[in-house]
């Protein structure tokens, strides 16, 4: 069956596709991978995901490349990060082979939902691992479900990447230094909703968190890592146990090194803001969101032009997106071939 999608006007929203994949865990074993068309999940009312938030998720993208092949950007890194999260909230992990078999199956069954090359879109992939067994005492589940759902999403910046203003969050901490800020689990994001909503109501699309111990070091943006370019051309990003290790940030650091840009991963004091020539939030959904000003309760820090991304960040953005679309060489073998072509 041929489907009709307005590829040029896709947003970043849920979109019903043909299927998702599912595996169940019980009696210390994972079931076979199944394709499921019904977009609902029946779980016990006492499931640990509902009562204690025992879960982990990921976000990655598949692209229809210039040669027509569908490739996924660094899926091995998402597997490693989900494994770390599963260990942290005490969930069993499936094998890497099961993960890649599930990816292959769900992409093949939903290939008609992959935006064609040239549209700027991609197939967003959301792996989800949750505790589903009935447990009222505070303890891990003995049953789990692993899903991968997929949906087509558009280019976040259809007219080119555009800078936005960010607000420093006052009165809310993102994560404790030795807590769970460095793993991708549901509770981290629920805890961010209020501060994020308050920032947006005040006219700021993005909020910035400082460290929860001293409130003097940069932690990260509400849903994205913090990166900056110094006035002498260095790429800097915070070092902190509270920060989610962004695969986009990791990739941009490698590309910066490839382009002979010095990279520093270190604690960054907030008062360094005025010393930066370029700042951006980075993550899977948008790759880069340039920041033109950061507003705190004491001061407004103007970073760059209001309507233009800085030259180094633009160069990195152009490089990584060209690589994802298969327009340039992939020297680090980041693009995994799904075996499906359009």
């Amino acid at each position: 069956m041929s489907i009709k999608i307005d590829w040029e006007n896709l947003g970043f929203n849920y979109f019903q596709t043909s299927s998702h994949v599912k595996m169940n865990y019980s009696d210390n074993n994972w079931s076979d991978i199944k394709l499921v068309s019904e977009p609902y999940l029946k779980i016990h009312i006492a499931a640990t995901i509902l009562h204690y938030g025992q879960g982990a998720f990921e976000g990655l993208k598949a692209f229809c490349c210039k040669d027509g092949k569908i490739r996924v950007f660094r899926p091995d890194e998402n597997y490693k990060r989900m494994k770390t999260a599963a260990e942290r909230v005490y969930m069993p992990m499936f094998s890497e082979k099961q993960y890649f078999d599930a990816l292959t199956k769900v992409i093949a069954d939903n290939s008609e939902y992959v935006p064609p090359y040239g549209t700027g879109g991609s197939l967003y992939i959301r792996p989800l691992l949750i505790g589903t067994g009935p447990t009222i005492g505070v303890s891990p589940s003995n049953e789990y479900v692993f899903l991968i759902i997929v949906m087509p999403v558009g280019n976040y910046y259809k007219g080119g990447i555009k800078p936005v203003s960010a607000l420093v969050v006052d009165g809310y901490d993102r994560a404790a230094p030795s807590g769970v800020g460095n793993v991708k689990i549901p509770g981290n994001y629920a805890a961010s909703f209020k501060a994020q909503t308050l920032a947006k109501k005040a006219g700021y699309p993005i909020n910035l968190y400082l460290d929860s111990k001293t409130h003097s070091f940069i932690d990260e943006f509400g849903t994205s890592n913090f990166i900056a370019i110094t006035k002498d051309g260095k790429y800097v990003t915070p070092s902190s146990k509270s920060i989610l290790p962004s695969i986009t940030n990791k990739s941009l650091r490698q590309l910066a090194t490839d382009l002979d840009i010095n990279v520093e991963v270190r604690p960054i004091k907030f008062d360094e803001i005025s010393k930066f020539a370029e700042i951006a939030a980075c993550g899977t959904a948008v790759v880069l969101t340039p920041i033109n000003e950061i507003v705190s309760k004491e001061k407004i820090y103007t970073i760059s032009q209001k309507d233009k991304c800085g030259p180094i960040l633009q160069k990195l953005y152009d490089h990584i997106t060209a690589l994802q679309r298969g327009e340039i060489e992939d020297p680090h073998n980041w693009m995994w071939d799904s075996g499906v072509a359009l």
Side-chain angles (χ1 to χ4, degrees), residues 69-101:
K69 293 183 178 181
I70 298 173
R71 296 185 176 90
V72 184
F73 183 67
R74 307 198 75 174
D76 55 322
E77 291 293 330
N78 293 93
Y79 177 81
K80 293 173 189 174
R81 193 168 66 177
M82 179 169 259
K83 186 176 182 180
T84 299
E87 290 171 351
R88 181 64 178 83
V89 294
Y90 214 72
M91 296 189 294
M93 191 65 175
F94 39 86
S95 71
E96 191 169 15
K97 181 181 184 305
Q98 288 170 309
Y99 166 75
F100 277 100
D101 286 348

Side-chain angles (χ1 to χ4, degrees), residues 48 54 89-91 135 137-142 144:
T48 54
Q54 191 187 24
V89 294
Y90 214 72
M91 296 189 294
T135 306
V138 182
S139 61
S141 176
N142 60 359
Y144 297 86

Side-chain angles (χ1 to χ4, degrees), residues 132-152:
T132 55
T135 306
I136 291 300
V138 182
S139 61
S141 176
N142 60 359
E143 295 177 0
Y144 297 86
V145 167
F146 173 63
L147 308 171
I148 302 180
I149 65 176
V150 298
M151 65 208 72

